[in-house]
Amino acid sequence: MNTRRDFLQILAASAATLPFLPLSGLANDLSKVDQSYDGPVLRVAIMGLGGYGSRVAEAMKACTKAVLAGVISGTPSKIKNWQAKYNIPEKNCYSYENFDAIKNNPDIDAVYVITPNALHHDQVIRVAKAGKHVICEKPMALNAKEGEEMVDACKKANVKLLVGYRMHFEPKTLEVIRMRNSGEFGKIMFFQGQCGFNIGDPNQWRLNKQLAGGGSLMDIGIYAINGSRYMVGEDPIWVTAQETKTQPERFKEGVDETVQFQLGFPGGAIASCLSTYAMNHLDRFFLTGEKGFAELQPSTGYGPIKGRTHKGELTQPHSTHQTIQMEEMADIILSGKSPVVPVNGEEAVKDLKIIDAIYLAAKTGKRVTI
């Protein structure tokens, strides 16, 4: 595995051979790098160069253990723009049709899949077959069956499969988890998760059943699902759910607008959660136990996260979530580090099983065992 210093030397040499790349920009980027770190570096190709892919790329500028080494896109103009902006050599650029060729590219260790939900399954399996580690955005798949197939494919290929659970590394969130683990809240009784916003462009892929696999639950509701698990510290054993649709002309068949769901946990705690594409100002987690409480509001946005407990305000400093995530994921892949809260494919399958159960409960009106 190349070290950080090795990569930077190769990057500078590659950029020097490409006259259209701004070498002054490269010098500025290199000046921001922690030159004291010379350990292993995870060389990442981003697949899907949309808004969130750009956010991850910008955040990675501050990483010391992970670097942007390649791009995969279906839009040639985006590839050219990213080459110029991030000094990416031509040999590390691929389309959706030919990216299997990364198998023969030693400059790429992992691919971060940031494409519409319905594409994850096949793309992750192709990356695994090419022998590269995979980071996949959430939800990892459209359902638990797809997720299990992705996990199996990565195990068969002997590559790691991680999922973009950035909140698992967020300092205030981790402090709440620490307090719960140490018993400071006592027996956990109740969790509430509210996640939603008024979605914009009606033509975006998130409102396309074939690409998104659903609606608000798949996109924003998964934060409440996953959050209920890491806040309570258990996996739910049953779910009930109700779907409300006030704008059927906007939210077509199979694209949920608002879903309320309730979860039951083996220790006796219950959760009440809301996922919506029709209301703003909903980004709040609340946890209460016999001895105390914790509240995060905002709880899952890009930050800064704000929170308080029965002991007072949470004061952990804010850092860019995607920077922390990529640094931690580099440690997981390169050094086998175990995070406080898992971010592997198996963790994602647990969320997908809950999503499957929520949709079934909303459809049937019955309690569904998980």
Side-chain angles (χ1 to χ4, degrees):
M1 190 66 65
N2 284 3
T3 66
R4 178 84 185 182
R5 188 172 296 127
D6 292 336
F7 177 82
L8 295 175
Q9 290 173 348
I10 292 171
L11 179 63
S14 297
T17 68
L18 299 173
F20 61 84
L21 293 183
L23 295 183
S24 60
L26 174 63
N28 289 336
D29 285 346
L30 299 190
S31 69
K32 301 175 185 176
V33 170
D34 179 3
Q35 299 291 345
S36 66
Y37 177 76
D38 193 35
V41 58
L42 184 71
R43 298 162 299 180
V44 180
I46 290 180
M47 179 187 294
L49 309 184
Y52 194 72
S54 296
R55 184 179 290 273
V56 171
E58 286 298 301
M60 288 180 68
K61 287 181 177 179
C63 289
T64 59
K65 300 174 183 178
V67 293
L68 177 61
V71 292
I72 302 169
S73 175
T75 308
S77 61
K78 286 186 178 181
I79 292 177
K80 290 300 181 183
N81 290 339
W82 278 54
Q83 278 190 274
K85 187 172 185 178
Y86 299 107
N87 304 292
I88 298 170
E90 184 71 31
K91 64 186 178 66
N92 291 356
C93 299
Y94 300 89
S95 69
Y96 293 139
E97 288 72 33
N98 69 9
F99 75 81
D100 307 272
I102 60 172
K103 180 177 183 178
N104 302 313
N105 190 337
D107 293 343
I108 295 173
D109 304 312
V111 175
Y112 195 158
V113 178
I114 311 177
T115 55
N117 305 337
L119 306 181
H120 293 175
H121 174 268
D122 291 352
Q123 289 172 340
V124 165
I125 291 175
R126 285 174 65 187
V127 172
K129 288 182 177 178
K132 304 299 181 179
H133 300 295
V134 192
I135 303 169
C136 182
E137 256 313 303
K138 57 193 177 305
M140 187 177 77
L142 298 186
N143 52 60
K145 180 178 181 296
E146 280 193 359
E148 289 168 345
E149 290 171 355
M150 295 157 73
V151 169
D152 291 344
C154 290
K155 285 182 177 179
K156 183 177 180 180
N158 197 30
V159 298
K160 286 187 170 63
L161 171 58
L162 305 182
V163 181
Y165 288 117
R166 58 186 168 84
M167 303 313 299
H168 292 197
F169 307 109
E170 196 280 317
K172 293 182 178 70
T173 301
L174 289 175
E175 173 61 12
V176 172
I177 293 171
R178 185 202 65 76
M179 291 178 68
R180 186 207 66 228
N181 286 340
S182 66
E184 294 180 48
F185 302 127
K187 178 180 171 62
I188 301 301
M189 306 297 292
F190 177 74
F191 170 81
Q192 183 180 52
Q194 300 172 335
C195 299
F197 59 93
N198 200 330
I199 198 165
D201 179 10
N203 298 314
Q204 63 181 284
W205 69 262
R206 287 177 178 81
L207 297 178
N208 182 325
K209 166 70 172 177
Q210 281 64 46
L211 290 176
S216 71
L217 189 67
M218 298 291 286
D219 180 35
I220 191 71
I222 192 170
Y223 285 98
I225 293 168
N226 189 251
S228 72
R229 296 176 51 232
Y230 64 67
M231 294 284 278
V232 172
E234 296 179 342
D235 292 331
I237 54 177
W238 59 258
V239 59
T240 54
Q242 307 81 37
E243 179 181 356
T244 303
K245 187 171 291 190
T246 62
Q247 304 173 61
E249 71 287 349
R250 189 179 181 197
F251 302 100
K252 307 300 183 183
E253 181 67 26
V255 179
D256 48 281
E257 172 192 318
T258 300
V259 179
Q260 298 175 78
F261 57 95
Q262 302 78 40
L263 305 170
F265 295 85
I270 55 174
S272 176
C273 302
L274 172 70
S275 167
T276 185
Y277 267 163
M279 291 174 263
N280 287 324
H281 315 300
L282 289 172
D283 185 7
R284 177 178 178 266
F285 284 177
F286 179 78
L287 181 75
T288 190
E290 290 181 332
K291 296 180 181 178
F293 74 91
E295 180 182 41
L296 298 173
Q297 186 177 12
S299 57
T300 64
Y302 294 142
I305 301 301
K306 295 182 180 180
R308 64 191 180 102
T309 74
H310 60 287
K311 293 188 173 182
E313 182 181 357
L314 296 172
T315 59
Q316 288 71 22
H318 169 71
S319 297
T320 302
H321 294 175
Q322 293 79 11
T323 302
I324 300 174
Q325 173 193 319
M326 295 309 297
E327 290 285 82
E328 292 289 328
M329 287 186 166
D331 272 341
I332 293 169
I333 291 174
L334 299 176
S335 306
K337 182 177 179 179
S338 295
V340 173
V341 184
V343 292
N344 54 31
E346 289 86 351
E347 178 80 358
V349 169
K350 292 179 181 179
D351 284 342
L352 292 169
K353 287 181 177 178
I354 298 170
I355 289 175
D356 289 348
I358 291 172
Y359 278 133
L360 180 59
K363 182 179 179 180
T364 63
K366 298 179 180 179
R367 176 186 288 198
V368 175
T369 300
I370 302 173

